[in-house]
């Protein structure tokens, strides 16, 4: 059946054939150049960029956890012995300024290859201890001793009491793994770069960058602690 002229025109429009051309898409309006902006608009944009930069810096400071290291010790008196030997003071929460620690240490002797090798071997010993710790039996189930009666309210209270007892139990004073010790001090710096520079200067970088054996750290900087 021959097509009518109207049908042919409709078919041509749908297939893109024929004399009708598609309308061109409008080009996006170009972004004005800084020199084309008036003073008020330039000030507004510069203020926004400054605020965005400040927010980015605050976010980095709030989320970066690399500004400190924890020195872990075997006995409760060892953190104080370390501070006394170095000549620094920890605050009530056990924090020590990294800048104060550097000032107390003075000019550090250059680290020899032998010194770094000894520290590295000590760090590997801690890694071996970590493997042993991971293979140990898990802690006892705090709910193992709960006697269930079938009464929901009674059993829920019994479970709560058992969990509270487990969570508030004193930490092991002599943990098998030193870095689990409750006896520690934390050294902090104003920036990541300052921390990494200190670790490199003292040779602590081969011991770790987060949790360190405080006794090995003292030995690395030739500090004798009173045992």
């Amino acid at each position: 059946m021959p097509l009518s002229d109207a049908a042919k025109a409709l078919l041509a429009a749908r297939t893109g054939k024929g004399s009708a051309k598609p309308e061109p898409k409008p080009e996006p309006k170009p972004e004005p150049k800084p020199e084309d902006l008036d003073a008020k608009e330039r000030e507004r944009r510069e203020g926004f960029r400054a605020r965005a930069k400040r927010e980015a810096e605050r976010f980095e400071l709030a989320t970066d956890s690399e500004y400190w290291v924890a020195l872990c010790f075997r006995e409760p008196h060892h953190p104080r012995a370390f501070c006394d030997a170095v000549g620094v003071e920890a605050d009530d929460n056990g924090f020590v300024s990294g800048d104060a620690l550097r000032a107390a240490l003075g000019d550090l002797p250059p680290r020899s290859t032998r010194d770094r090798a000894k520290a590295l071997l000590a760090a590997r010993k801690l890694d071996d201890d970590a493997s042993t710790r991971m293979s140990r039996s898990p802690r006892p189930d705090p709910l193992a001793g709960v006697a269930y009666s079938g009464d929901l309210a009674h059993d829920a209270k019994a479970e709560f009491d058992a969990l509270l007892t487990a969570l508030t139990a004193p930490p092991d004073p002599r943990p098998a793994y030193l870095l689990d010790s409750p006896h520690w001090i934390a050294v902090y710096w104003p920036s990541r770069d300052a921390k990494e520079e200190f670790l490199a200067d003292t040779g602590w970088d081969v011991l770790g960058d987060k949790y360190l054996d405080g006794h090995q750290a003292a030995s690395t900087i030739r500090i004798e602690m009173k045992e």
Side-chain angles (χ1 to χ4, degrees), residues 88-201:
V88 294
E89 185 74 22
D91 65 17
D92 294 339
N93 295 316
F95 290 90
V96 175
S97 164
D99 293 337
L101 181 59
R102 177 181 282 279
L105 292 174
D107 294 331
L108 295 167
R111 310 305 305 163
S112 67
T113 303
R114 182 179 180 182
D115 290 335
R116 294 183 65 81
K118 288 172 61 178
L120 183 58
L121 288 174
R124 287 179 176 173
K125 175 62 169 60
L126 281 178
D127 289 340
D128 293 340
D129 292 344
S131 300
T132 302
R133 179 175 64 122
M134 295 298 291
S135 62
R136 288 205 313 258
S137 300
R139 293 179 182 272
D141 181 0
L143 301 179
V146 174
Y148 291 95
S149 65
D151 180 83
L152 179 60
H154 177 275
D155 293 345
K157 182 179 183 305
E159 288 185 345
F160 176 82
D161 291 341
L163 291 173
L164 181 62
T165 299
L167 291 173
T168 56
D172 184 355
R174 294 184 63 85
Y177 183 55
L178 179 61
L179 300 189
D180 276 342
S181 173
H183 316 305
W184 53 266
I185 57 175
V187 187
Y188 63 92
W189 291 267
S191 69
R192 182 195 297 262
D193 291 341
K195 169 194 164 180
E196 293 179 349
E197 181 182 0
F198 182 90
L199 294 182
D201 289 346

